[in-house]
Amino acid sequence: MQDRFTAETERFRRELLAHCYRMIGSAQEAEDLVQETYLRAWRSYSGFEGRASIRSWLYKIATNVCLKALQPRPIRVLPSGLAGPYDGPDRPPRSVAPGEVSWLEPLPDAWIAPPAADPAAVAVERESLRLALIACLQHLPARQRAILILREVLAFSTAETAEILGTTTAAVKSGLQRARARLGELEAEPERLLAPTDHRARALLDAYIAAFERSDAGLLEQVLRTDAKLEATPFRDWQAGRTMCIHMLDAYVLGTPGDWRMIATAANGQPAAVVYHREADGALRADGVVVLAPTAAGVSHVIKFHNPALAATFGFPDVFAP
């Protein structure tokens, strides 16, 4: 029975991971919730009677695992979810005390990438995992979040969604309407981002990396859009507008040539880089991950996640060795 269970369920693991990430906003937690989903599925597999598809049965388990996990937890946010952009006196950004805020985390594309032979699936997956969208989803009540994801991302019918959530079709329709309205308030005009594979997106990422490695604020000016936003966890302050972004980076971050090294990767369907910083002992140690929002007019949004453990999450070493 173990072999049959694996054959029937394992092919859904990547998409279930993406689903749990959309619900929870953390790659590591999503991975743990998928493990819990498969454990529960295995325990009840002998009683699975096939009245629903194996896929919808797994999504029912995964969604309810996520809803239970969300009950005692604060939502995960980005700095822009706490307050407006900083426009006070010139000073380094203020950090948030550990444990005060639960931060959103990036998701490596390699964890959930569908087969490259299906470009339509790639496009849908990429669009539904944009960091801006994931950040907005976290502000929806958990059940509304689940309804919106099941109906509009995963294309389950109203009846299937009601079955997955153990509710009525009327409740699903009402919840979807409220979720759409709230999402529209949070992200009124979703941006059209370039795919990470687009040569223009890669050129922007390469230029951003070069600007940091050379400590070149002038090159950053060519990369960022005039209305660009810059935010970084675990800092409360964030910047809006290219001038403010470059001033903060030039004054407090860029340092001198050689202080930074970055390795290109992809996260949330967007170009990204694993970041290393030169420490006092001369070693380049993992500093976190930066994710860019590339558009035809330049990078509109930069989000830096200051968490050295993310290097390992993305499959890179803790210390950069040329």
Side-chain angles (χ1 to χ4, degrees):
M1 189 167 69
Q2 176 71 60
D3 290 345
R4 189 177 72 202
F5 173 78
T6 300
E8 290 189 341
T9 64
E10 194 61 28
R11 65 185 185 274
F12 300 110
R13 184 176 289 271
R14 284 176 179 262
E15 63 175 276
L16 287 168
L17 179 59
H19 176 56
C20 291
Y21 174 75
R22 294 183 191 102
M23 288 291 297
I24 213 85
S26 162
Q28 294 293 346
E29 284 193 46
E31 191 173 42
D32 291 343
L33 293 173
V34 170
Q35 294 292 350
E36 176 66 17
T37 295
Y38 273 83
L39 180 60
R40 293 191 183 192
W42 168 243
R43 287 172 176 170
S44 57
Y45 182 62
S46 60
F48 176 64
E49 298 175 350
R51 287 194 292 265
S53 69
I54 194 79
R55 180 173 180 265
S56 63
W57 178 66
L58 287 171
Y59 269 100
K60 181 173 185 175
I61 297 171
T63 301
N64 285 285
V65 164
C66 289
L67 290 173
K68 182 179 179 181
L70 285 166
Q71 286 174 3
R73 304 182 190 186
I75 67 170
R76 289 184 173 272
V77 297
L78 292 171
S80 55
L82 299 176
Y86 180 72
D87 60 358
D90 190 9
R91 57 163 175 73
R94 296 171 299 166
S95 61
V96 176
E100 182 180 341
V101 173
S102 186
W103 297 112
L104 191 71
E105 298 174 359
L107 177 70
D109 275 17
W111 283 22
I112 48 83
D118 187 354
V122 172
V124 170
E125 195 83 353
R126 180 185 301 127
E127 183 66 18
S128 68
L129 288 168
R130 291 181 299 111
L131 270 173
L133 175 60
I134 299 299
C136 290
L137 287 174
Q138 305 312 300
H139 289 274
L140 298 178
R143 287 185 70 82
Q144 284 185 26
R145 192 185 316 169
I147 289 171
L148 184 76
I149 293 168
L150 291 167
R151 289 285 290 114
E152 305 226 318
V153 176
L154 299 166
F156 282 107
S157 69
T158 300
E160 287 172 324
T161 302
E163 166 61 23
I164 287 172
L165 293 173
T167 188
T168 64
T169 56
V172 169
K173 291 177 182 177
S174 175
L176 181 60
Q177 185 176 26
R178 291 196 297 272
R180 283 171 174 166
R182 178 62 177 143
L183 196 63
E185 294 171 1
L186 294 165
E187 191 183 29
E189 295 182 12
E191 283 199 300
R192 295 180 63 87
L193 302 184
L194 301 173
T197 52
D198 190 305
H199 72 278
R200 296 169 295 175
R202 184 54 195 253
L204 288 169
L205 176 62
D206 288 346
Y208 185 88
I209 290 173
F212 264 78
E213 294 185 347
R214 301 173 192 169
S215 301
D216 188 343
L219 182 54
L220 273 179
E221 189 170 0
Q222 299 175 38
V223 172
L224 301 180
R225 251 173 33 181
T226 56
D227 61 347
K229 295 182 290 185
L230 171 68
E231 52 188 320
T233 64
F235 298 99
R236 185 179 302 276
D237 301 331
W238 60 283
Q239 288 69 41
R242 181 169 61 196
T243 300
M244 290 292 292
C245 294
I246 292 178
H247 171 74
M248 194 282 294
L249 290 172
D250 195 24
Y252 303 109
V253 180
L254 285 180
T256 59
D259 283 353
W260 299 95
R261 290 299 298 266
M262 297 186 185
I263 305 175
T265 185
N268 295 79
Q270 299 171 223
V274 175
V275 181
Y276 293 85
H277 184 255
R278 193 173 300 282
E279 303 299 330
D281 62 1
L284 285 161
R285 301 190 185 281
D287 184 70
V289 168
V290 64
V291 183
L292 308 185
T295 73
V299 172
S300 65
H301 199 170
V302 177
I303 304 174
K304 168 67 183 300
F305 299 90
H306 285 278
N307 180 355
L310 286 173
T313 299
F314 278 76
F316 292 90
D318 178 60
V319 177
F320 179 85

